[in-house]
Tab-separated table of all heavy atoms in Angstrom:
chain	number	residue	atom	x	y	z
A	93	ARG	N	14.936	-14.053	-26.750
A	93	ARG	CA	14.929	-15.392	-27.093
A	93	ARG	C	13.524	-15.858	-27.317
A	93	ARG	O	13.147	-16.647	-28.244
A	93	ARG	CB	15.635	-16.384	-26.017
A	93	ARG	CG	15.433	-17.845	-26.244
A	93	ARG	CD	16.129	-18.210	-27.567
A	93	ARG	NE	16.023	-19.779	-27.729
A	93	ARG	CZ	14.876	-20.364	-28.109
A	93	ARG	NH1	13.829	-19.634	-28.479
A	93	ARG	NH2	14.863	-21.655	-28.218
A	94	PHE	N	12.639	-15.552	-26.392
A	94	PHE	CA	11.177	-16.109	-26.354
A	94	PHE	C	10.106	-15.198	-26.796
A	94	PHE	O	8.924	-15.675	-27.072
A	94	PHE	CB	10.887	-16.694	-24.898
A	94	PHE	CG	11.753	-17.726	-24.420
A	94	PHE	CD1	12.766	-17.467	-23.480
A	94	PHE	CD2	11.805	-18.977	-24.998
A	94	PHE	CE1	13.660	-18.443	-23.082
A	94	PHE	CE2	12.697	-19.971	-24.525
A	94	PHE	CZ	13.611	-19.714	-23.570
A	95	ALA	N	10.394	-13.972	-26.953
A	95	ALA	CA	9.411	-12.983	-27.354
A	95	ALA	C	9.990	-11.899	-28.222
A	95	ALA	O	10.009	-10.664	-27.823
A	95	ALA	CB	8.457	-12.393	-26.225
A	96	SER	N	10.585	-12.243	-29.302
A	96	SER	CA	11.527	-11.433	-30.053
A	96	SER	C	10.829	-10.250	-30.740
A	96	SER	O	11.489	-9.247	-31.114
A	96	SER	CB	12.346	-12.194	-31.081
A	96	SER	OG	11.433	-12.857	-31.930
A	97	PHE	N	9.566	-10.306	-30.918
A	97	PHE	CA	8.893	-9.123	-31.549
A	97	PHE	C	8.009	-8.326	-30.611
A	97	PHE	O	7.162	-7.518	-30.973
A	97	PHE	CB	7.848	-9.712	-32.616
A	97	PHE	CG	8.526	-10.330	-33.814
A	97	PHE	CD1	8.886	-11.606	-33.981
A	97	PHE	CD2	9.062	-9.529	-34.823
A	97	PHE	CE1	9.491	-12.156	-34.978
A	97	PHE	CE2	9.717	-10.029	-35.942
A	97	PHE	CZ	9.896	-11.394	-36.046
A	98	ALA	N	8.248	-8.485	-29.281
A	98	ALA	CA	7.522	-7.688	-28.216
A	98	ALA	C	7.819	-6.310	-28.263
A	98	ALA	O	8.806	-5.771	-28.921
A	98	ALA	CB	7.756	-8.290	-26.876
A	99	ASP	N	6.933	-5.479	-27.687
A	99	ASP	CA	7.150	-4.071	-27.597
A	99	ASP	C	8.394	-3.702	-26.907
A	99	ASP	O	8.621	-4.218	-25.808
A	99	ASP	CB	5.881	-3.494	-26.800
A	99	ASP	CG	5.750	-1.909	-26.886
A	99	ASP	OD1	6.894	-1.275	-26.802
A	99	ASP	OD2	4.683	-1.339	-27.033
A	100	PRO	N	9.200	-2.890	-27.504
A	100	PRO	CA	10.488	-2.546	-26.925
A	100	PRO	C	10.478	-1.695	-25.721
A	100	PRO	O	11.625	-1.365	-25.153
A	100	PRO	CB	11.434	-2.032	-28.057
A	100	PRO	CG	10.329	-1.430	-28.865
A	100	PRO	CD	9.142	-2.273	-28.809
A	101	LEU	N	9.387	-1.087	-25.360
A	101	LEU	CA	9.283	-0.149	-24.229
A	101	LEU	C	8.848	-0.760	-22.919
A	101	LEU	O	9.214	-0.145	-21.924
A	101	LEU	CB	8.393	1.023	-24.623
A	101	LEU	CG	8.773	1.919	-25.716
A	101	LEU	CD1	7.783	3.112	-25.895
A	101	LEU	CD2	10.140	2.549	-25.497
A	102	LEU	N	8.094	-1.885	-22.940
A	102	LEU	CA	7.611	-2.399	-21.777
A	102	LEU	C	8.567	-2.779	-20.675
A	102	LEU	O	8.667	-2.311	-19.615
A	102	LEU	CB	6.588	-3.535	-22.072
A	102	LEU	CG	5.368	-3.202	-22.838
A	102	LEU	CD1	4.576	-4.564	-23.229
A	102	LEU	CD2	4.461	-2.343	-21.964
A	103	LEU	N	9.598	-3.610	-21.129
A	103	LEU	CA	10.623	-4.062	-20.243
A	103	LEU	C	11.449	-2.894	-19.659
A	103	LEU	O	11.782	-2.747	-18.410
A	103	LEU	CB	11.422	-5.166	-20.778
A	103	LEU	CG	12.625	-5.659	-19.838
A	103	LEU	CD1	12.073	-6.228	-18.671
A	103	LEU	CD2	13.288	-6.783	-20.679
A	104	PRO	N	12.018	-1.894	-20.568
A	104	PRO	CA	12.758	-0.890	-20.036
A	104	PRO	C	12.047	-0.030	-18.996
A	104	PRO	O	12.676	0.513	-18.005
A	104	PRO	CB	13.111	-0.082	-21.258
A	104	PRO	CG	13.139	-1.145	-22.382
A	104	PRO	CD	11.979	-1.996	-22.076
A	105	ILE	N	10.696	0.304	-19.191
A	105	ILE	CA	10.021	1.147	-18.248
A	105	ILE	C	9.894	0.409	-16.926
A	105	ILE	O	10.147	0.963	-15.783
A	105	ILE	CB	8.591	1.409	-18.839
A	105	ILE	CG1	8.726	2.349	-20.020
A	105	ILE	CG2	7.744	1.983	-17.708
A	105	ILE	CD1	7.361	2.650	-20.665
A	106	ALA	N	9.530	-0.894	-16.929
A	106	ALA	CA	9.433	-1.661	-15.627
A	106	ALA	C	10.864	-1.695	-15.065
A	106	ALA	O	10.974	-1.576	-13.845
A	106	ALA	CB	8.909	-3.020	-16.031
A	107	ALA	N	11.925	-1.905	-15.746
A	107	ALA	CA	13.234	-1.950	-15.207
A	107	ALA	C	13.674	-0.661	-14.563
A	107	ALA	O	14.265	-0.604	-13.429
A	107	ALA	CB	14.281	-2.406	-16.165
A	108	LEU	N	13.298	0.404	-15.286
A	108	LEU	CA	13.715	1.714	-14.714
A	108	LEU	C	12.927	2.066	-13.394
A	108	LEU	O	13.479	2.529	-12.374
A	108	LEU	CB	13.426	2.857	-15.694
A	108	LEU	CG	13.775	4.256	-15.346
A	108	LEU	CD1	15.154	4.439	-14.776
A	108	LEU	CD2	13.374	5.287	-16.395
A	109	LEU	N	11.601	1.676	-13.364
A	109	LEU	CA	10.782	1.873	-12.143
A	109	LEU	C	11.434	1.007	-11.003
A	109	LEU	O	11.408	1.463	-9.907
A	109	LEU	CB	9.383	1.526	-12.387
A	109	LEU	CG	8.609	2.568	-13.376
A	109	LEU	CD1	7.252	1.927	-13.725
A	109	LEU	CD2	8.376	3.888	-12.572
Side-chain angles (χ1 to χ4, degrees):
R93 172 64 178 83
F94 299 106
S96 57
F97 290 97
D99 191 318
L101 293 183
L102 292 174
L103 179 59
I105 292 175
L108 180 55
L109 290 170

